[in-house]
Amino acid sequence: MDEFKLRAGEKLDALHEAAKAVANGGKNRVQDVASQTTELIRKIHEAFLELWQNELFIESRERVGVWTRDAVQRIKDGAPPLSPVLLYEELVALFKDRMWRRSVALFACGVVLGGSAGLLLGLRASGRVPSGPHARALLAQPDRAVLLVDDAVTPGAGPGEVLVRVQAFSVCARDRAVLRGRAAALRPLITRSQLSIGRGFAGVVLDAGPGVALELGDEVWGCVSEWSGGAASELLTIRSTRVSKRPRGLAADTAASLPWAGTLALEALDKAPYGLDGWKGKRVAIIGATTGEGLALLQLLSRKGARACTAAPHSHRTTLHDFGCAEFIETDGSRSWAGIEASAVRAGLWDALFCCDAHHTPPAAPHHLAALLKSTAPKRAFIDLRPSVLLTDRLPTPLWLLFCATFYTFKVLRRFLGLGSHTDWMELDWQLSPGLDQLAALVDSGYLTPALDKVYLPQDFEAALAHACSDDAIGTTVIRFP
């Protein structure tokens, strides 16, 4: 018993010593931190005093004092506080001083470097993924590979936003361009979400933020531009101005095939010189009509009384005739304008020419529009639906930093003027709610039919994108969440 008490006492003594050592160590660390902080404050104070006593600062203080006294005297005399002549003379005198010029140059460099570093740190901090519900999503990795993630985080619906359970989304050649770097410089300024794919989508509203007219359970569709992220997430938070109720009785797979393609087609017609309704009796050519937007254009033009000619591989001839094609040009796989120009000479020139982003479409614009369009055709009779190169993707780093500062300044001004901090002004008008509502009305009236090609599962994304970008595609390729 005595031995047990002895051992217990020894252990208690050891624990007491250990506790004292830990306490002393913590006290020492606190003292070290306090002494280091005091030393740092002392050094900063000494540096400030040394800078304050610098000849340049003394001269600057004297000049400011002279300006202040002069301004006070001018105010007492009833004159404006700042004399333009005096200001000009002082600036000229300052810039004649080499030391002052060098100081101004150093100050400007410091502002540029410090502002750039702060901007980059702010962008990096703003890119952190917010907390929220988890869902499956197709996310692009730094090596441009796309992985199906089971626990992707989706932020909740905020003011003016809706949380949509995406049932299906479309893929097209634009997604391949996004994975290759399109809008990579612009996207971090607009969205915090990770790079994804999917342009058009269809789903059901799960949650609606304040100020949203949509209700829980509404079946909706919408578009996501390449600089706003992607729709390949089972849960998608998006502004309510970019979705609308989809046509009644339309399945999710079919509905997802039309928002992106249909709005591009309507935008092209609206941008064309004949407008939306001036196509009766016009001869129109659609190059790359096998895409979703090409088939939508074909239907709309044929319904409006135009005589549509399409250029596509021979295997799609019957399908294009079913959609309203009056003339067909078989492409030979060379992806050149020579065969199309020869067909135009044989069958007659066109009043307008649409060029869609299909695999068999010639890569560049035609060099001789006179060989394709009538002499009476307006100047804007060639409408290219393929995406143009974004300026932000070509800016060097200094100019990109300047663009970032300008962009954020513009957003602040919009918010200050009560226009909000959103970026709806960057989107096509037809891809916002009013345009989507008009597209739904066209479908409900039977004026336009969705062109659904093939439906894939998320794990088959690579096969889906490869098919959408091939000559075998006819219509829109869709990926559906099971």
Side-chain angles (χ1 to χ4, degrees):
M1 187 67 178
D2 293 337
E3 185 179 357
F4 173 76
K5 291 181 178 180
L6 179 62
R7 291 182 179 177
E10 290 176 352
K11 290 185 178 180
L12 289 174
D13 291 340
L15 288 174
H16 179 67
E17 293 296 331
K20 287 175 61 179
V22 170
N24 291 331
K27 183 179 179 181
N28 292 334
R29 284 196 294 271
V30 171
Q31 291 176 348
D32 291 341
V33 171
S35 62
Q36 291 176 3
T37 305
T38 305
E39 182 66 19
L40 179 62
I41 294 174
R42 186 185 62 81
K43 289 182 179 180
I44 293 175
H45 180 67
E46 290 178 355
F48 177 77
L49 289 178
E50 183 179 355
L51 188 63
W52 184 254
Q53 298 299 328
N54 186 276
E55 294 179 359
L56 184 61
F57 270 80
I58 294 174
E59 183 181 355
S60 301
R61 293 204 307 271
E62 292 176 353
R63 288 179 182 273
V64 170
V66 172
W67 290 347
T68 304
R69 288 191 295 271
D70 181 71
V72 171
Q73 184 62 40
R74 290 176 64 85
I75 292 174
K76 290 180 179 179
D77 296 340
L82 183 62
S83 171
V85 176
L86 178 62
L87 178 62
Y88 174 76
E89 292 176 352
E90 290 292 340
L91 290 176
V92 170
L94 287 175
F95 279 96
K96 286 182 178 179
D97 188 348
R98 187 181 64 179
M99 182 68 71
W100 181 266
R101 290 200 304 270
R102 187 177 66 178
S103 301
V104 170
L106 291 175
F107 174 77
C109 292
V111 169
V112 172
L113 293 176
S116 303
L119 179 62
L120 293 176
L121 289 175
L123 292 175
R124 185 177 182 86
S126 65
R128 295 173 183 173
V129 179
S131 60
H134 293 250
R136 292 175 296 175
L138 285 167
L139 300 179
Q141 307 303 310
D143 60 353
R144 298 180 182 176
V146 178
L147 299 180
L148 178 61
V149 180
D150 291 329
D151 58 349
V153 180
T154 303
E161 295 179 336
V162 290
L163 178 63
V164 179
R165 185 202 179 279
V166 176
Q167 298 168 305
F169 61 91
S170 63
V171 292
C172 58
R174 191 75 60 94
D175 291 297
R176 185 167 62 179
V178 168
L179 293 177
R180 291 177 177 177
R182 177 175 172 79
L186 185 58
R187 194 178 303 108
L189 306 180
I190 298 174
T191 179
R192 297 184 180 184
S193 59
Q194 191 172 346
L195 175 61
S196 183
I197 46 94
R199 300 301 114 210
F201 67 90
V204 179
V205 176
L206 295 184
D207 189 17
V212 177
L214 294 171
E215 299 178 353
L216 274 65
D218 284 345
E219 295 183 337
V220 296
W221 64 359
C223 298
V224 183
S225 59
E226 55 265 45
W227 48 78
S228 298
S233 176
E234 200 170 16
L235 294 178
L236 177 66
T237 301
I238 189 171
R239 279 186 55 81
S240 61
T241 54
R242 303 184 188 183
V243 298
S244 72
K245 293 183 179 180
R246 70 189 194 220
R248 297 181 298 272
L250 209 60
D253 299 350
T254 308
S257 67
L258 192 56
W260 181 260
T263 53
L264 285 181
L266 289 170
E267 174 71 17
L269 288 179
D270 197 14
K271 187 171 59 175
Y274 305 107
L276 291 174
D277 301 314
W279 297 94
K280 189 173 182 179
K282 305 295 183 183
R283 295 191 74 250
V284 183
I286 305 174
I287 313 302
T290 56
T291 61
E293 59 270 23
L295 291 177
L297 269 174
L298 181 57
Q299 293 180 74
L300 292 171
L301 288 170
S302 60
R303 296 271 188 175
K304 293 177 184 296
R307 183 174 177 82
C309 172
T310 60
H314 178 75
S315 57
H316 301 311
R317 181 169 189 163
T318 303
T319 304
L320 292 173
H321 278 297
D322 293 340
F323 274 90
C325 171
E327 301 177 22
F328 181 80
I329 300 175
E330 181 179 348
T331 55
D332 54 4
S334 62
R335 302 183 68 194
S336 68
W337 289 99
I340 300 173
E341 292 175 358
S343 299
V345 171
R346 289 194 303 268
L349 304 181
W350 297 297
D351 294 292
L353 176 64
F354 293 90
C355 190
C356 301
D357 193 12
H359 181 264
H360 54 269
T361 302
H367 297 292
H368 306 290
L369 283 175
L372 299 168
L373 299 175
K374 295 179 180 179
S375 58
T376 56
K379 292 181 179 180
R380 295 181 294 113
F382 175 72
I383 302 97
D384 199 343
L385 280 74
R386 295 172 296 183
S388 57
V389 177
L390 295 175
L391 176 63
T392 52
D393 290 337
R394 291 187 171 184
L395 288 177
T397 301
L399 293 181
W400 180 77
L401 293 174
L402 179 62
F403 172 81
C404 292
T406 306
F407 182 82
Y408 280 122
T409 303
F410 183 69
K411 288 187 67 176
V412 170
L413 288 176
R414 284 181 56 88
R415 189 162 189 172
F416 179 76
L417 295 174
L419 301 176
S421 58
H422 59 79
T423 55
D424 287 350
W425 51 274
M426 297 183 62
E427 309 296 332
L428 296 178
D429 291 338
W430 284 99
Q431 292 182 348
L432 299 176
S433 296
L436 292 168
D437 287 336
Q438 293 187 48
L439 183 63
L442 291 174
V443 177
D444 285 333
S445 63
Y447 205 81
L448 186 61
T449 302
L452 176 62
D453 185 11
K454 287 187 177 182
V455 180
Y456 291 83
L457 294 176
Q459 55 267 30
D460 300 323
F461 158 74
E462 292 184 357
L465 186 59
H467 174 76
C469 299
S470 69
D471 279 338
D472 297 330
I474 177 72
T476 304
T477 303
V478 169
I479 296 178
R480 173 175 54 85
F481 283 107

